[in-house]
Amino acid sequence: MAVDDPNGRGEYQLAIDRLLREEEPAVVYLRSDNPDDLSVVRRALEYLSSLGGEVAVAEQIPETEVAAIFGVTVEQYRLAVANPDGDVGAFA
């Protein structure tokens, strides 16, 4: 689902909410078409982490940073991605 949010008005939040409501993905994959500006991807990660119970992958951002945003260790993050319905998902 493409989202254009150049002014940071929160369109990404609406898109994430719709995705979670309509498709209920086990893992949310985030990617920017502009690898020089990953600010919207970071904001989306922060939003997902504030919701709790969601697992997200942002391949353009180091795992260490994604894990830190979710407040888990890299090992916990990797386990959650590998098994999003497992016990580790409770940490996120």
Side-chain angles (χ1 to χ4, degrees):
M1 169 180 311
V3 177
D4 188 16
D5 193 13
N7 298 317
R9 295 185 182 158
E11 284 89 351
Y12 68 92
Q13 287 181 354
L14 296 173
I16 288 171
D17 290 342
R18 189 172 84 224
L19 174 73
L20 295 176
R21 183 178 60 251
E22 294 176 2
E23 298 184 27
E24 300 178 12
V27 178
V28 176
Y29 292 88
L30 303 169
R31 181 172 181 69
S32 176
D33 288 339
N34 180 2
D36 294 328
D37 181 9
L38 299 175
S39 60
V40 172
V41 173
R42 285 185 177 89
R43 286 195 302 266
L45 285 169
E46 290 168 1
Y47 179 64
L48 284 165
S49 74
S50 74
L51 296 177
E54 302 301 331
V55 178
V57 173
E59 65 185 39
Q60 296 164 304
I61 297 176
E63 284 182 323
T64 53
E65 186 176 341
V66 176
I69 290 171
F70 278 90
V72 297
T73 66
V74 173
E75 181 179 322
Q76 289 170 324
Y77 171 71
R78 288 178 181 159
L79 288 171
V81 171
N83 184 10
D85 295 322
D87 293 337
V88 177
F91 290 108

